Amino acid sequence: MAIALAFMTLALLGAGAWLVSLGGSPYYVLAGLALAVVAFLLLKASPMAWWVYAALVLATLFWSLWEVGLEWWGLAARGDVFFLFGLLLLTPWVARRMVYPIASYSQAGRDQPTRGPRSWRGGRGALAIVLVLYLGVGAASWVVDPFALEGTLPGARAPASLADPMPAGEWHAYGRTGHGQRYAPLDQITSRNVEQLEEAWHYRTGDVRGQPGDPEETTFQVTPLKVGDQLFICTPHQHVIALDATTGEERWRFDPKVRSGLALQHLTCRGLSYWSRNGATPAADSAPAPTAVPAPEPAAGLPEAPDLPVAAADSPATDHCPSMLYMPTADGRVIALDPASGAVCRRFGGGTGQINLWRGMPNVRLGGYYSTSPVVASQRVLVVGGTVLDNVTTSEPSGVVRGFDVQTGELLWHWDPARPDDNTPLAPGQTYSASSPNVWSIMSVDESLGLVYLPLGNPPPDQWGGNRSEAVERVSSSVVALDLATGRMRWVFQTVHHDLWDYDVPSQPTLVDLTINGATVPALVQPTKQGELFVLDRRTGQPVHEVKEVPAPQGAAEGDHTAPTQPVSAVSFAPERLTGASMWGATMFDQLACRIALHRLRYEGRFTPPSVKGSLVHPGNFGVFNWGSIAVDPVRQVAFTTPAYLAFTSQLIPRPDDTALMVQGDKPPEGNLPALNENLGAPFAVKMRPFTSPLGLPCQAPPWGYVAGVDLVSGEIVWQHRNGTVRDVTPLPLPFKMGVPSLGGPLMTAGGVAFLSGTLDNYIRAYDVITGEQRWQSRLPAGGQATPMSYTGRDGRQYVVVAAGGHGSLGTQAGDSVIAYALPVRQPER
């Protein structure tokens, strides 16, 4: 026991002294000194060891309460080792050694031992009392959640005023409509009966990650569409599948035969898009019709487009498509399919059934540009954006956004983020601007206003912006509204100035009409990675709830600069600044290592610039919010949100030239996979890692993920609860609700129930929208990093459907499942 304490003493004294030298807490040095005394007393078999150890445990308890209060996980990290060692000191074999020293046995004989001093009984009892006290405080902290916010959201305020001509039981776009609300106006499932949900059907696609050439981030993120009696999904490897919406039986499948050997950073398909001639609203019918412009000629020496498969070449095709499904592919195409049969629509793309997005692109490298998110299919215009490789080179394809005729695929307009005010068609030999900001996430559209809303990223590289133009700076990491008919920019709202943190706008803008001071305000709600919910007037881009410019840390890397201020919304989930008390670990020792790491990094709070020394980025580029966005109830005018908090580290690595691999290790990536974070052509490569302890646990204390309810009218966060467990990401299946991040969006319904499946444990859960109380959960066969949706089947039942296939870079369980839930079928009375 003394030897074990001696090793603990050395660790605490050495690392604790290092922490003090960095300006951290002296507790660990003091604890190490106390342990040294206990070890010495144990070597002497002195019962005073109990007294000193009891004082140490009691002091640790008071210090822990001072740092974190009644927060169980914080208390456990500080006291678990001391508590367990204290239990060992109370065991009879330790007590026997102390009560009957070896010298006493030799003098009196083993049968007649000499009783030791009375102090042993008091010391052992004192230690027992302290450990019981520690246990009691721990029990109290287990039932108290200092991070919870309790409240109730309001009921119905007014009928939804934003035009929604879609039948209530349908789901025609990623967010159900182009407004991106992720709200089903169905009330069969309520908070009172949701516990009765059961699996109605389970379909497996046969498409799982792990195939040759798959990047790490191969994910099943699809949200199905429901049109008529059919569900439509796409798989990570780009197959399109139609299912019977009531039974889950496969009706048809289409393989676009995506070209192999792509330089992919992500391999996913978040969803399809749907268009129908009779789906227009009166406002859309009255909108001016767009006119076609000549398609650009290829640049000199650059082929018009890479050699790609032609969708209509060896697949069933048809000339009659009164409605169409649009599938974006990983090799840079958009294919139009007949929803009834899965046949290629030949009229689209001049007989090919597809448009080739590489036409007019600079720096052609298959996999360097493609659409991971569904396109916008309005009544007349198909709006297409795409992702550009992050942090590989400074010579990437363009982030151009283009409008095509929704029926023919003919190019109508383009919007180049590097030339945001110039919509002039490309001249022969021209290309779009290289490495410009891109729209990789989901766009929204308001056809009554004739506007499409773009969540924009920033140009590569993310962490160094010394070469960005004034025009690019204007629109990077912004929400941009374009005229749907012409592509001209109508307004721009920037969410981060001179973004150096990969805080691109990740989420689909959500459109909702709010009743504020008795007036109806057409609003747009934009979640961001840094935790803001910007509520804007979607006509003008002006804030509905106050936005302030706050001072930001200064001092960028050589050749760069930082913005003096950053915008902060009145509706904000921005995290508190991390301190030494925020550090965490499985034990006090890895918590101590995290404290040292915190003090060694550059960190001045949110928006600390990247540095050669290494900076702490909190929240990290995983985001408080990501592509899953939020769900909005347009009747209650409230939002169901899923804020997450994980810190990352960012270290700039000076580059000696434009070719050397600085962060990839001894060998480059296999095959055509890109050399991520090398930033070839920039002055710095970048090392980005989660901020974790030596044991691989997050250095910041839990909770790391919540569900939260927001009143969008008042701008108030009404309730907030930690959400999810670490059951599926630790060796032990721990069911404790620590609060884990989620990657995937929520669903809200008119029945007052919200659904979420994207947590790191394999569950889909249901919540009471009014209070946030969890009402139901069901185990998934794989990670559910997708957004659920809901519809009405042929049998009149309301279904909730979710894809469960996992997420490669999160390490959740891979799979290929699509699962539907419904209330039990009522048996007829006899």
Side-chain angles (χ1 to χ4, degrees), residues 17-160:
W18 189 6
L19 178 62
V20 169
S21 71
L22 295 171
S25 171
Y27 161 79
Y28 298 92
V29 171
L30 298 175
L33 292 173
L35 274 188
V37 173
V38 175
F40 175 75
L41 292 172
L42 281 176
L43 281 175
K44 294 183 62 179
S46 169
M48 284 300 296
W50 281 318
W51 285 105
V52 177
Y53 195 81
L56 171 60
V57 174
L58 187 62
T60 298
L61 175 59
F62 287 139
W63 171 74
S64 300
L65 289 170
W66 175 72
E67 279 211 321
V68 298
L70 282 175
E71 203 289 302
W72 195 90
W73 295 103
L75 293 175
R78 288 159 173 79
D80 52 5
V81 172
F82 283 170
F83 182 84
L84 293 175
F85 206 91
L87 293 179
L88 289 177
L89 288 179
L90 292 179
T91 57
W93 65 269
V94 174
R96 192 160 54 241
R97 293 277 180 144
M98 292 215 206
V99 176
Y100 308 122
I102 294 175
S104 298
Y105 280 107
S106 62
Q107 294 169 8
R110 184 170 298 273
D111 295 332
Q112 296 179 344
T114 300
R115 181 170 296 277
R118 283 193 170 189
S119 60
W120 76 266
R121 285 175 287 182
R124 192 182 184 200
L127 177 56
I129 291 171
V130 170
L131 293 182
V132 169
L133 176 62
Y134 216 120
L135 195 63
V137 171
S141 67
W142 186 257
V143 297
V144 174
D145 186 357
F147 298 101
L149 179 63
E150 303 295 342
T152 56
L153 286 171
R157 283 192 165 101

Side-chain angles (χ1 to χ4, degrees), residues 369-733:
Y369 171 88
Y370 51 103
S371 298
T372 56
S373 296
V375 301
V376 166
S378 70
Q379 272 300 295
R380 294 194 174 99
V381 184
L382 191 74
V383 185
V384 182
T387 184
V388 174
L389 289 180
D390 271 344
N391 305 332
V392 178
T393 76
T394 57
S395 300
E396 296 292 347
S398 178
V400 63
V401 176
R402 285 166 282 191
F404 300 89
D405 185 288
V406 74
Q407 297 188 59
T408 67
E410 186 177 6
L411 180 67
L412 301 175
W413 51 259
H414 75 262
W415 182 73
D416 190 333
R419 299 194 294 267
D421 297 313
D422 183 4
N423 287 88
T424 305
L426 291 182
Q430 280 188 324
T431 62
Y432 302 114
S433 301
S435 302
S436 51
N438 62 93
V439 180
W440 62 266
S441 192
I442 305 100
M443 296 174 279
S444 298
V445 63
D446 185 339
E447 294 196 63
S448 63
L449 291 177
L451 295 177
V452 60
Y453 302 95
L454 282 53
L456 247 73
N458 48 23
D462 287 316
Q463 289 77 27
W464 188 83
N467 59 355
R468 298 176 190 170
S469 69
E470 183 177 344
V472 163
E473 290 277 59
R474 180 183 171 200
V475 300
S476 293
S477 298
S478 298
V479 188
V480 171
L482 300 182
D483 187 284
L484 185 58
T486 66
R488 296 192 180 278
M489 186 167 69
R490 294 270 286 270
W491 57 258
V492 57
F493 178 87
Q494 191 160 61
T495 65
V496 185
H497 307 318
H498 194 65
D499 182 5
L500 300 176
W501 305 272
D502 194 16
Y503 283 164
D504 45 14
V505 182
S507 302
Q508 180 181 26
T510 297
L511 314 184
V512 60
D513 288 350
L514 301 178
T515 305
I516 298 180
N517 296 326
T520 298
V521 178
L524 176 152
V525 185
Q526 182 59 68
T528 68
K529 286 184 177 180
Q530 61 271 24
E532 310 302 327
L533 288 186
F534 291 107
V535 184
L536 312 174
D537 187 317
R538 65 176 181 272
R539 298 167 298 187
T540 63
Q542 294 301 307
V544 173
H545 292 303
E546 185 181 20
V547 175
K548 293 181 178 179
E549 292 287 335
V550 300
Q554 298 297 293
E558 182 179 355
D560 204 352
H561 67 280
T562 52
T565 63
Q566 294 291 352
V568 173
S569 173
V571 190
S572 179
F573 287 91
E576 294 183 1
R577 180 169 175 168
L578 295 178
T579 65
S582 309
M583 296 299 97
W584 190 71
T587 69
M588 63 187 305
F589 298 103
D590 50 322
Q591 186 203 54
L592 173 54
C594 285
R595 288 183 185 246
I596 292 171
L598 173 67
H599 283 278
R600 296 184 69 200
L601 292 165
R602 178 181 179 186
Y603 181 59
E604 293 131 48
R606 199 160 58 134
F607 300 112
T608 299
S611 63
V612 175
K613 174 184 178 180
S615 297
L616 184 63
V617 181
H618 184 53
N621 63 350
F622 185 91
V624 175
F625 300 105
N626 209 291
W627 56 264
S629 196
I630 61 176
V632 168
D633 182 331
V635 178
R636 292 184 174 92
Q637 300 180 20
V638 300
F640 183 93
T641 70
T642 60
Y645 301 94
L646 284 177
F648 276 66
T649 62
S650 175
Q651 182 181 13
L652 299 177
I653 309 297
R655 299 194 57 82
D657 53 51
D658 291 343
T659 60
L661 296 183
M662 305 302 295
V663 298
Q664 288 292 320
D666 297 332
K667 60 179 181 179
E670 296 181 2
N672 291 312
L673 296 179
L676 299 177
N677 297 328
E678 288 291 350
N679 295 339
L680 302 175
F684 301 96
V686 62
K687 287 184 179 179
M688 296 192 65
R689 298 188 179 95
F691 184 40
T692 56
S693 75
L695 297 181
L697 298 173
C699 267
Q700 68 195 87
W704 308 298
Y706 299 88
V707 290
V710 180
D711 184 335
L712 293 174
V713 173
S714 66
E716 179 187 4
I717 300 171
V718 175
W719 54 256
Q720 179 171 280
H721 306 143
R722 68 176 76 203
N723 184 60
T725 72
V726 293
R727 168 173 177 167
D728 295 301
V729 293
T730 59
L732 298 175

